[in-house]
Amino acid sequence: MDPGMNHLLKWGIENSSTAAPSPDAPPPRPIDPAVLQAIFGGPSDADLMRQSMAAIISPEITLDNKLTAFDNFEQLIESIDNANNLEPLGLWTPLVELLKNEEGQLRRMAAWCVGTAVQNNEKAQERALVMGALPALVKMVIEEADENIRRKALYALSSEMRNYQPATDEAVKGLPERLWTEGHIDATDMEAVDRFIAKLRERN
């Protein structure tokens, strides 16, 4: 029997007694929403990720609704499995492009999502690097006037660099000499990465 159907049957048996409930009996155990989704259908996380990105890039959607969709997208990719699905779903390309969007709030959310996706996730770090996220983040950190946006870009850059040497090397190489004069950074040296990010935070 399908595991989801078996779970539903078990739940039904547990909660189908016709006898009057004892005052000391525990409350009925709720059924897992994921099981209901699997049995009766409904959007998967992949569907929700695609729908969110479609809303974010649609010219028909208001900025407020785009930001709501972006917030939903960020929550979805907190799951490492969903973050790793960005590549097969073709969502890295629009996400990286949004780092360059003329609307600052969309740039902020895009940086936040990149940071969430790559945090402690080497597969996503590799994808972000290949897709060109790092130069866009460095540019935001150096040139962005809005400090709220810069903070998200710094968060994303920090997450991309930690324990991933190719991104760390690329970040150091992409900076003007006035911002970093210490040369090579070991990506596994958290104190060195912290010094690098602190120097960028100062931006002078």
Side-chain angles (χ1 to χ4, degrees), residues 44-133:
S44 65
D45 281 0
D47 293 329
L48 293 172
M49 289 165 65
R50 279 190 292 251
Q51 290 168 12
S52 295
M53 184 56 73
I56 293 163
I57 64 177
S58 171
E60 316 260 326
I61 304 295
T62 66
L63 178 59
D64 281 349
N65 286 334
K66 287 175 185 282
L67 294 176
T68 298
F70 236 145
D71 188 59
N72 293 336
F73 187 82
E74 192 276 334
Q75 291 180 54
L76 285 163
I77 61 173
E78 287 176 357
S79 157
I80 193 168
D81 289 336
N82 287 343
N84 288 337
N85 267 341
L86 288 169
E87 179 186 7
L89 293 174
L91 296 177
W92 269 115
T93 296
L95 181 58
V96 170
E97 284 301 310
L98 283 158
L99 293 170
K100 310 164 197 171
N101 194 276
E102 61 182 14
E103 171 51 57
Q105 293 307 307
L106 295 182
R107 293 197 302 276
R108 176 179 65 84
M109 290 300 299
W112 188 5
C113 286
V114 170
T116 298
V118 302
Q119 193 168 45
N120 302 315
N121 184 348
E122 185 172 346
K123 182 176 179 180
Q125 287 173 307
E126 186 270 338
R127 282 294 88 198
L129 182 62
V130 168
M131 299 305 294

Side-chain angles (χ1 to χ4, degrees), residues 32 34 57 140 163 169 185:
D32 186 348
I57 64 177
M140 289 171 71
N163 293 307
D169 293 342
I185 297 174

Side-chain angles (χ1 to χ4, degrees), residues 134-135 137-143 150 157 169-183 196 199-200 203-204:
L134 203 138
L137 291 170
V138 169
K139 181 179 174 66
M140 289 171 71
V141 167
I142 295 172
E143 300 180 5
R150 282 192 77 235
L157 186 61
D169 293 342
E170 190 69 20
V172 171
K173 186 171 68 174
L175 282 185
E177 288 186 9
R178 64 183 175 82
L179 290 178
W180 185 253
T181 58
E182 296 185 32
F196 181 83
K199 185 64 176 176
L200 290 187
R203 194 171 55 179
N204 55 40

Side-chain angles (χ1 to χ4, degrees), residues 159-175:
S159 297
E160 172 69 1
M161 291 172 61
R162 292 180 190 277
N163 293 307
Y164 188 56
Q165 196 63 50
T168 301
D169 293 342
E170 190 69 20
V172 171
K173 186 171 68 174
L175 282 185

